[in-house]
Amino acid sequence: MAATDLERFSNEEKRNLSLGGHVGFDSLPDQLVSKSVAQGFSFNILCVGETGIGKSTLMNTLFNTTFETEEASHYEYAVRLRPRTYDLQESNVHLKLTIVDAVGFGDQINKDESYRPIVEYIDTQFENYLQEELKIRRSLFNYHDTRIHVCLYFITPTGHSLKSLDLVTMKKLDSKVNIIPIIAKADTISKSELHKFKIKIMSELVSNGVQIYQFPTDDDAVAEINSVMNAHLPFAVVGSTEEVKVGNKMVRARQYPWGVVQVENESHCDFVKLREMLIRVNMEDLREQTHARHYELYRRCKLEEMGFKDTDPDNQPFSLQETYETKRKEFLCELQKKEEEMRQMFVNKVKETESELKEKERDLHEKFEHLKRIHQEEKRKVEEKRRELEEEMNAFNRRKVAVETLQCQSLQATSQQPLKKDKDKKKEWIVTMWDVNIV
Ligand code: GTP
Ligand code: MG
């Protein structure tokens, strides 16, 4: 339906009725408030700034309490995100506050990748929320929302200009989180220098296309204060949890030999402005912007990446069901193709192995035949040798018998002719031996 049709239709259908008496739906806002109060709120702050810039002190000053703080070392190998959650209560309102510290930010020699862990942390929180939303049984009602609602970016009070690390990091973060830049330790910079520094920072942010959070001016109730405050950005803050006596009052301040810097004195610093804007006036807008702008962008990109679309190629509406069916078909086709490829691969592999095995079998058979031939040859040679040896043995035995016979005969002859001459005997023996050898 076109927008004009819709307008006509709604104008025709909408009728104003005057009620005869009290019905009660005017209590809807109250119902909403009491439900929200019962449910409690969550607010998540990300603190990005160099080590020792005053992040923890400012958080303690903002919430007027002492959160556990642990000094970060300057020797972190990479930037690491450290979330800590606290349950706070003011009147009957419960707030689950998560403060996430970017530990080790600005301490690495190579700072090229310093922004990456921060971006990844923010995306992980969005992803967790998206996963919860996509569940069949969602429990968003009591889900602990860890999405970052605001990033307080602590700028070092150099009085010069922003560092490239600041510009790169803020640029990488500006589409993912509401950035509020603040000049930390503003008591270390003079009033005129601070004024110039603020102007310089804002012009650098604009020229580099960094989108920082603008306090909303569309709600009449806060439009005026918010537009005034937008002109004060970046807030120059001082943090301290120390109480100093000023006049007859104890105030949070930083005491120096030359005087006292009062945290909540608007002529000393912008701490009160930050607290007002961040907590009292715009906390709900920060939560809303996170959900409606940053999370929405993440969700859209993620779903598009997964192949979901609102319209088909002809610009016609495309339902989730249709997208699902198309994706399912694509997936099944892909699966079948993969299966066929794998089957073919398997068949080829089997064939290859089979031919390899056959080849090996042939080799083995040839080797066997060769060995068999060698063996037969050896056997034949051994047989021949055996025969020769047997013949030699027979010849030897015959000679042995002949020698023994001759010895017997000679013994007999000796006993019959004892006087026969030795020479003749020897001759006879030689002749006999000659005969034996011939045999
Ligand atoms: P890491 O967590 O270790 O990175 O430090 P951090 O950024 O949390 O700084 P932290 O709050 O621990 O403060 C570091 C030092 O700076 C302390 O000595 C604070 O007293 C001092 N400090 C904090 N805020 C201010 C400030 O506004 N002005 C001045 N001059 N000093 C401050
Ligand atoms: Mg700290």
Side-chain angles (χ1 to χ4, degrees):
M1 197 183 287
T4 44
D5 293 345
L6 192 72
E7 238 167 58
R8 204 180 317 124
F9 175 78
S10 55
N11 283 344
E12 279 167 11
E13 290 300 306
K14 203 163 78 183
R15 287 181 297 152
N16 285 330
L17 296 178
S18 50
L19 305 174
H22 183 247
V23 177
F25 57 75
D26 59 354
S27 72
L28 250 174
D30 301 333
Q31 291 173 34
L32 205 66
V33 168
S34 63
K35 194 176 161 195
S36 302
V37 167
Q39 199 181 330
F41 300 88
S42 68
F43 192 63
N44 308 317
I45 305 176
L46 169 66
C47 295
V48 181
E50 288 173 11
T51 303
I53 193 75
K55 303 182 287 289
S56 306
T57 311
L58 187 77
M59 287 301 110
N60 288 342
T61 321
L62 266 177
F63 290 93
N64 204 11
T65 184
T66 314
F67 298 116
E68 66 219 83
T69 52
E70 201 179 285
E71 253 181 48
S73 94
H74 283 284
Y75 305 104
E76 290 283 341
Y77 174 69
V79 177
R80 154 174 80 82
L81 280 291
R82 186 181 57 196
R84 287 209 170 122
T85 302
Y86 308 90
D87 278 314
L88 305 179
Q89 187 178 352
E90 191 171 25
S91 313
N92 61 341
V93 178
H94 291 267
L95 180 73
K96 211 182 251 294
L97 175 75
T98 302
I99 299 172
V100 185
D101 246 329
V103 180
F105 185 77
D107 281 335
Q108 292 73 41
I109 292 172
N110 182 353
K111 301 180 183 68
D112 287 0
E113 299 288 300
S114 293
Y115 71 88
R116 201 176 288 279
I118 306 172
V119 169
E120 279 169 7
Y121 182 87
I122 295 173
D123 280 348
T124 308
Q125 310 320 308
F126 283 151
E127 183 60 32
N128 292 346
Y129 192 85
L130 182 64
Q131 289 304 323
E132 187 61 36
E133 251 191 0
L134 293 176
K135 273 185 189 170
I136 294 174
R137 287 168 192 272
R138 301 182 295 178
S139 52
L140 289 169
F141 175 74
N142 55 5
Y143 174 80
H144 177 206
D145 187 2
T146 54
R147 293 171 300 173
I148 300 294
H149 299 119
V150 65
C151 165
L152 292 181
Y153 196 95
F154 291 69
I155 298 165
T156 318
T158 58
H160 286 213
S161 61
L162 283 171
K163 297 179 187 177
S164 49
L165 174 66
D166 298 329
L167 284 170
V168 170
T169 310
M170 281 197 259
K171 186 78 204 127
K172 293 282 178 190
L173 295 183
D174 71 354
S175 60
K176 294 181 178 291
V177 68
N178 301 310
I179 302 175
I180 300 183
I182 53 180
I183 299 167
K185 299 190 179 182
D187 53 331
T188 59
I189 189 166
S190 75
K191 201 166 177 171
S192 59
E193 278 174 346
L194 182 65
H195 181 69
K196 282 186 208 144
F197 192 37
K198 277 191 178 189
I199 295 171
K200 186 94 202 253
I201 289 170
M202 288 315 282
S203 82
E204 278 190 332
L205 289 177
V206 171
S207 61
N208 285 284
V210 178
Q211 291 274 320
I212 59 165
Y213 175 72
Q214 292 292 308
F215 303 117
T217 48
D218 45 6
D219 180 355
D220 289 344
V222 289
E224 199 185 324
I225 182 167
N226 276 354
S227 55
V228 171
M229 290 300 161
N230 277 331
H232 275 93
L233 282 170
F235 293 137
V237 296
V238 174
S240 175
T241 46
E242 216 178 291
E243 301 236 313
V244 177
K245 195 162 185 179
V246 176
N248 51 6
K249 260 201 330 195
M250 293 299 282
V251 292
R252 285 184 299 169
R254 299 188 73 84
Q255 191 161 26
Y256 294 106
W258 53 89
V260 173
V261 181
Q262 295 170 35
V263 169
E264 288 168 274
N265 186 331
E266 286 203 54
S267 63
H268 289 193
C269 72
D270 299 331
F271 172 80
V272 173
K273 294 188 181 74
L274 173 70
R275 190 178 59 193
E276 287 285 294
M277 289 293 99
L278 180 71
I279 301 172
R280 208 180 60 81
V281 182
N282 295 306
M283 199 184 232
E284 184 48 25
D285 186 70
L286 285 162
R287 283 157 40 88
E288 229 176 81
Q289 290 284 325
T290 303
H291 185 73
R293 203 168 124 222
H294 302 300
Y295 171 67
E296 202 56 29
L297 181 66
Y298 176 85
R299 182 181 169 278
R300 199 179 70 216
C301 294
K302 193 74 191 189
L303 293 183
E304 276 173 2
E305 210 177 89
M306 285 161 76
F308 291 102
K309 293 182 207 88
D310 288 334
T311 52
D312 65 9
D314 305 323
N315 234 9
Q316 294 302 308
F318 207 50
S319 75
L320 197 70
Q321 178 71 23
E322 281 170 310
T323 313
Y324 172 74
E325 285 300 330
T326 322
K327 276 273 140 198
R328 193 164 167 270
K329 271 187 205 143
E330 271 174 28
F331 177 72
L332 283 178
C333 282
E334 190 74 10
L335 198 73
Q336 268 174 358
K337 214 172 99 190
K338 282 246 159 68
E339 251 178 33
E340 183 54 35
E341 272 173 20
M342 277 179 77
R343 205 182 59 78
Q344 199 54 44
M345 222 160 77
F346 182 72
V347 169
N348 290 346
K349 203 88 195 147
V350 167
K351 275 186 189 161
E352 240 172 58
T353 318
E354 219 172 64
S355 72
E356 270 174 21
L357 280 174
K358 273 189 183 151
E359 185 81 13
K360 277 192 181 141
E361 196 185 330
R362 235 187 343 267
D363 281 357
L364 274 175
H365 196 72
E366 272 173 18
K367 266 187 197 156
F368 174 71
E369 286 299 317
H370 178 69
L371 283 173
K372 205 168 135 190
R373 273 197 304 279
I374 291 173
H375 173 70
Q376 276 172 352
E377 185 66 19
E378 290 285 314
K379 201 174 154 190
R380 195 185 57 73
K381 280 183 187 162
V382 168
E383 200 59 33
E384 218 166 72
K385 199 88 188 156
R386 196 175 63 82
R387 253 196 326 274
E388 276 173 19
L389 282 171
E390 266 176 11
E391 274 171 18
E392 268 178 32
M393 239 166 75
N394 287 343
F396 176 76
N397 282 340
R398 270 198 306 278
R399 275 201 301 275
K400 193 178 157 200
V401 171
V403 169
E404 277 169 2
T405 318
L406 266 176
Q407 275 177 346
C408 268
Q409 279 172 0
S410 119
L411 271 174
Q412 275 171 3
T414 320
S415 63
Q416 281 166 11
Q417 296 171 318
L419 300 172
K420 214 176 182 178
K421 284 181 186 168
D422 281 356
K423 204 176 167 183
D424 294 342
K425 270 192 227 170
K426 204 173 179 179
K427 216 175 192 178
E428 233 173 68
W429 191 81
I430 290 167
V431 170
T432 315
M433 285 310 287
W434 174 254
D435 290 345
V436 169
N437 272 340
I438 288 166
V439 174

